[in-house]
């Protein structure tokens, strides 16, 4: 069985200027980023579908992205793959003093076990200290500075809201957020009545942002929820296509009422199979 050192050797061979793969030789940090994002989503997709037979392969694809960046950095004399391993291990030891009280990865813990709330509070405190260490002027450091701009918009909205909530800038419960959703929807309708595309886009953005906030209050991952909704839409639309294909009818020639009836039939069948609808 191959091991990590074999993968590192393979990566170096792929990037060999004389004997490597022409495509791999041409890549750089920026060109690999889209592949990294795609591989991360494929891992998430395999987990959500419960496809554990293919999960090792998807995790391998994601690991290969880290190996790729490390090889690029090694060629430039920036750092090695071992530096990545060292950095993440040190960070996690530092962020878990309740597990590694003396900072020793292999030392035996001698502290009482903390509950979930205490662990979360300690985690956030340590992360805040790390953010302050990175800043030249800590008093000017924003809580939002290290929320990655490249995150998917829904995920980033949830992280921004969560970060602001740490200092009390948040609704105390979900119901006031529901009222805010209604308020933002009314503002979308008002913008629609005025027919201003820019205003409509802005209000729709505000609506999505507050719906994300509602999801957070309900302890729902908005990105995962939307992926699930996408999958549900895809299943039902494929049902419509297959039903019409069996009937020998082009979907383009069908009225909306007929398509909607087939959609309802798809929902009905799903409810019968799973005991739930939506």
């Amino acid at each position: 069985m191959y091991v990590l050192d074999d993968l590192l050797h393979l990566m170096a061979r792929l990037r060999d200027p004389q004997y490597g793969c022409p495509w791999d030789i041409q890549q750089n940090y920026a060109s690999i980023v889209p592949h990294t994002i795609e591989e991360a989503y494929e891992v998430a997709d395999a987990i959500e579908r419960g496809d554990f037979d293919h999960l090792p392969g998807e995790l391998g694809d994601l690991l290969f992205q880290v190996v790729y960046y490390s090889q690029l950095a090694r060629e430039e004399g920036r750092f090695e793959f071992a530096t990545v391993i060292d950095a993440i291990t040190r960070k996690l030891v530092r962020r878990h003093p309740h597990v590694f009280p003396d900072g020793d990865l292999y030392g035996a813990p001698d502290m009482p076990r903390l509950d979930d709330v205490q662990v979360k509070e300690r985690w956030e405190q340590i992360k805040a200290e790390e953010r302050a260490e990175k800043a030249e002027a800590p008093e000017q450091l924003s809580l939002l500075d290290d929320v990655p701009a490249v995150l998917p918009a829904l995920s980033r909205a949830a992280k921004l809201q969560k970060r602001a909530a740490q200092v009390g800038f948040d609704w105390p419960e979900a119901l006031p957020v529901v009222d805010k959703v209604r308020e933002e929807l009314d503002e979308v309708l008002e913008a629609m009545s005025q027919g201003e595309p820019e205003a409509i886009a802005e209000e729709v953005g505000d609506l999505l942002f507050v719906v994300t906030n509602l999801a957070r209050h309900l302890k729902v991952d908005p990105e995962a929820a939307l992926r699930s909704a996408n999958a549900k839409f895809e299943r039902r639309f494929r049902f419509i296509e297959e039903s019409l294909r069996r009937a020998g009818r082009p979907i383009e020639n069908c009225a909306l009422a007929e398509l909607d009836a087939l959609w309802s039939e798809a929902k009905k069948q799903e409810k019968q199979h799973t005991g739930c609808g939506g």
Side-chain angles (χ1 to χ4, degrees):
M1 177 179 288
Y2 290 119
V3 296
L4 181 56
D5 284 345
D6 296 318
L7 182 59
L8 295 173
H9 174 73
L10 179 149
M11 184 71 256
R13 287 285 301 275
L14 291 177
R15 289 279 298 176
D16 185 280
Q18 185 174 359
Y19 301 108
C21 169
W23 186 88
D24 287 288
I25 293 171
Q26 294 174 2
Q27 303 312 304
N28 55 44
Y29 298 100
S31 68
I32 295 299
V33 167
H35 300 282
T36 307
I37 295 171
E38 180 180 343
E39 298 300 351
Y41 274 111
E42 290 185 2
V43 168
D45 180 63
I47 293 173
E48 289 176 357
R49 292 186 289 105
D51 187 3
F52 295 104
D53 289 339
H54 289 94
L55 183 57
E58 300 298 351
L59 289 171
D61 291 341
L62 185 57
L63 173 61
F64 184 65
Q65 304 302 304
V66 180
V67 170
Y68 215 127
Y69 292 121
S70 300
Q71 175 64 28
L72 293 173
R74 179 174 178 270
E75 294 168 5
E76 297 173 356
R78 298 178 184 274
F79 57 82
E80 306 267 344
F81 182 78
T83 312
V84 177
I85 300 300
D86 180 72
I88 185 59
T89 304
R90 289 179 183 276
K91 179 193 293 185
L92 292 176
V93 168
R94 182 174 65 251
R95 288 185 176 182
H96 293 80
H98 51 291
V99 179
F100 312 104
D102 57 358
D104 183 357
L105 177 61
Y106 295 101
D110 57 3
M111 296 176 63
R113 186 179 182 87
L114 303 181
D115 60 32
D116 290 345
V117 174
Q118 292 172 315
V119 169
K120 181 178 179 181
E121 289 176 349
R122 181 58 181 150
W123 176 271
E124 295 299 341
Q125 177 185 347
I126 293 171
K127 288 174 66 177
E129 292 170 356
E130 291 174 355
R131 288 194 296 272
E133 290 174 0
K134 293 179 181 178
E136 295 181 0
E139 68 278 3
Q140 297 178 358
L141 182 66
S142 170
L143 279 171
L144 311 180
D145 278 353
D146 61 346
V147 179
V150 296
L151 284 174
L154 287 176
S155 294
R156 188 165 193 267
K159 281 188 174 291
L160 291 170
Q161 294 162 4
K162 181 180 178 182
R163 190 63 59 79
Q166 292 176 11
V167 292
F169 191 66
D170 195 16
W171 281 283
E173 56 185 2
L175 285 179
V177 189
V178 174
D179 293 334
K180 187 64 176 177
V181 170
R182 295 192 179 104
E183 177 185 326
E184 294 295 347
L185 181 57
D186 287 340
E187 292 183 5
V188 171
L189 294 172
E190 181 180 352
M192 290 171 59
S193 69
Q194 296 172 354
E196 292 291 341
E198 291 185 3
I200 292 172
E202 179 179 351
E203 298 301 344
V204 168
D206 291 344
L207 177 60
L208 290 171
F209 190 84
V210 75
V211 167
T212 300
N213 211 339
L214 177 61
R216 183 177 60 86
H217 275 272
L218 297 176
K219 302 188 185 308
V220 172
D221 180 345
E223 194 74 29
L226 185 55
R227 284 200 301 270
S228 178
N230 288 343
K232 180 168 60 177
F233 177 87
E234 186 176 2
R235 287 194 310 270
R236 293 176 180 177
F237 191 80
R238 289 179 184 275
F239 174 88
I240 294 174
E241 291 178 313
E242 179 60 25
S243 298
L244 292 172
R245 191 176 296 115
R246 289 197 304 266
R249 302 194 58 206
I251 191 171
E252 297 85 356
N253 296 343
C254 296
L256 178 58
E258 183 177 0
L259 298 178
D260 195 49
L262 288 169
W263 178 272
S264 298
E265 179 62 25
K267 289 178 60 176
K268 179 181 177 181
Q269 291 194 16
E270 283 188 0
K271 188 172 183 180
Q272 290 173 345
H273 291 156
T274 64
C276 61

